[in-house]
Amino acid sequence: MAFVTIETLNAWAQFSKAFYLSCVINAKTESRITISVAPSGMSTNDAIRKAIVRFNRYATPNSAGEWSRRDEPPWHDPNVLLEVCRITNCSQYGQMQAAFSMGQRVFVDLPVFRNFYGHRNRLSAEAAQRIGSLYLLSTALRTSEMLLKSKPAASVSVLLEWIAELKVTSEFICG
C-alpha cells in the first residue's frame, strides 16, 4: 500500500512537470491541437529555470548552468502547474483551470497519505486519520485499511477513487 500511494503521487508530479515541458516544445493534444507557451522558442532548461525562480527566487544553477532537482517546485501541487502555465501564457491554461475546479480531493488528501508512508510519525498518522473521517470511514481503521475501503455508497476504494480522479484530470488537461 505504501508503494502504490507514494508512486501514485510521484506519477502525478511527473505528469505535471512533463505536461509543462510539453507545452514548451509545442506538443499536440489528443485532438491534434498544438499547446504552446510564450515566448515561443524557450528551451526546457529555461522553462525549468522559470518554474524554479517563480517559487524559489534565491535558487541558483550550478557552475555548469544546471538546476538541482531539489530546487524545483512541488510538481504534485496543481497550483504549481497552474502558476507556471499562467506566467508562460500556456495555451491550455483555461482548460487547466477547468480541470482543477472539479472539486477533486486527491490533490489535498493523497499527499497526506504519501507523507504518512514516507515519514511514519505520530503527526502524519493523525493527519491521515482525520482525512479518513472526511470519507465517512471509521477512525478505528488503520491507515492502509482506509485506502482499501470505499466510502458509503461508493463502488471503489478511496485509493482507486483518487487514481480515477487523477486520470480524469489529466485527460481533461490534455483533451
Side-chain angles (χ1 to χ4, degrees), residues 79-156:
N79 294 309
V80 168
L81 182 58
L82 281 167
E83 179 61 11
V84 295
C85 286
R86 184 191 66 78
I87 64 174
T88 56
N89 296 315
C90 177
S91 61
Q92 289 290 94
Y93 184 68
Q95 188 85 357
M96 292 169 55
Q97 286 181 304
F100 290 122
S101 67
M102 296 187 289
Q104 310 93 314
R105 293 276 328 161
V106 64
F107 300 110
V108 175
D109 299 342
L110 179 59
V112 173
F113 278 82
R114 181 267 171 236
N115 287 343
F116 165 75
Y117 287 118
H119 305 291
R120 296 224 188 221
N121 58 47
R122 182 182 55 78
L123 293 175
S124 63
E126 290 170 357
Q129 287 291 327
R130 281 192 299 275
I131 288 173
S133 65
L134 295 174
Y135 291 85
L136 305 176
L137 300 174
S138 168
T139 55
L141 293 172
R142 298 184 68 193
T143 307
S144 293
E145 292 172 326
M146 280 189 254
L147 295 178
L148 294 172
K149 294 285 185 189
S150 58
K151 340 185 251 202
S155 60
V156 297

Side-chain angles (χ1 to χ4, degrees), residues 1 30 34 40 58 66 96 100 116 121 128 145 154 157-158:
M1 189 53 54
E30 281 184 352
T34 300
S40 60
Y58 301 110
E66 298 168 344
M96 292 169 55
F100 290 122
F116 165 75
N121 58 47
E145 292 172 326
S157 70
V158 169

